[in-house]
Amino acid sequence: MLATLRTGDYRLETFLTLRSNGENVVIATSIKRTTRKKTKRPAAVTSHVGIKTKPLSSLTDECLHSYFANLNGHKPGDLYQLVMGEVEKPLFRAVLTYTKGNQSEAAEILGINRGTLRKKLRAYKLQGR
């Protein structure tokens, strides 16, 4: 599923899926700048056949309902950490790519302290990006 959030000059695209065994939510995120310089070239036409755009909260809700439906009587554990890890890691990766590895700029974009960002990058093994 594709969720798109537009804020000012940026577009956050998130792809959400739930594995068939119901154990893991996989999220891929990309941040793209939506404003472009005017060019004389004709605009490219892109089409996402069969993909509906929904708010990220709706997609998250659907995935979590599916996750609970597929537990087969098992009790979930550390769900908060599972979801946050699946969201934060691709978010940090995308922001660091956008800032070309500049952690100070990435922390500012994310609205967190640079030390907090570095701690989370170590936890997700994303250092050196």
Side-chain angles (χ1 to χ4, degrees):
M1 290 183 224
L2 171 68
T4 302
L5 171 67
R6 292 176 189 197
T7 306
D9 293 342
Y10 299 96
R11 182 176 73 223
L12 172 70
E13 291 185 343
T14 304
F15 296 91
L16 304 169
T17 60
L18 182 65
R19 290 187 180 163
S20 60
N21 62 9
E23 292 182 4
N24 199 358
V25 177
V26 179
I27 302 174
T29 305
S30 67
I31 298 175
K32 298 179 182 176
R33 190 170 180 99
T34 57
T35 58
R36 297 182 182 177
K37 294 179 182 177
K38 293 183 179 180
T39 62
K40 294 181 181 179
R41 292 177 284 158
V45 177
T46 59
S47 174
H48 298 286
V49 177
I51 298 176
K52 296 179 182 178
T53 301
K54 293 183 180 181
L56 180 58
S57 61
S58 294
L59 293 170
T60 303
D61 191 43
E62 288 176 17
C63 286
L64 287 172
H65 282 294
S66 180
Y67 173 82
F68 285 114
N70 290 310
L71 284 176
N72 297 326
H74 297 283
K75 185 176 179 181
D78 296 327
L79 182 60
Y80 180 80
Q81 287 299 325
L82 172 70
V83 172
M84 292 310 297
E86 293 295 327
V87 172
E88 281 185 328
K89 188 173 182 178
L91 175 63
F92 294 151
R93 191 179 306 121
V95 172
L96 284 170
T97 299
Y98 175 77
T99 63
K100 298 181 178 90
N102 185 324
Q103 292 180 1
S104 295
E105 190 178 349
E108 186 177 329
I109 289 170
L110 292 164
I112 62 175
N113 183 289
R114 187 181 58 160
T116 301
L117 175 62
R118 288 183 178 196
K119 177 180 157 187
K120 289 180 179 276
L121 292 177
R122 278 193 301 274
Y124 293 124
K125 297 181 174 114
L126 293 173
Q127 286 182 308
R129 290 185 177 256

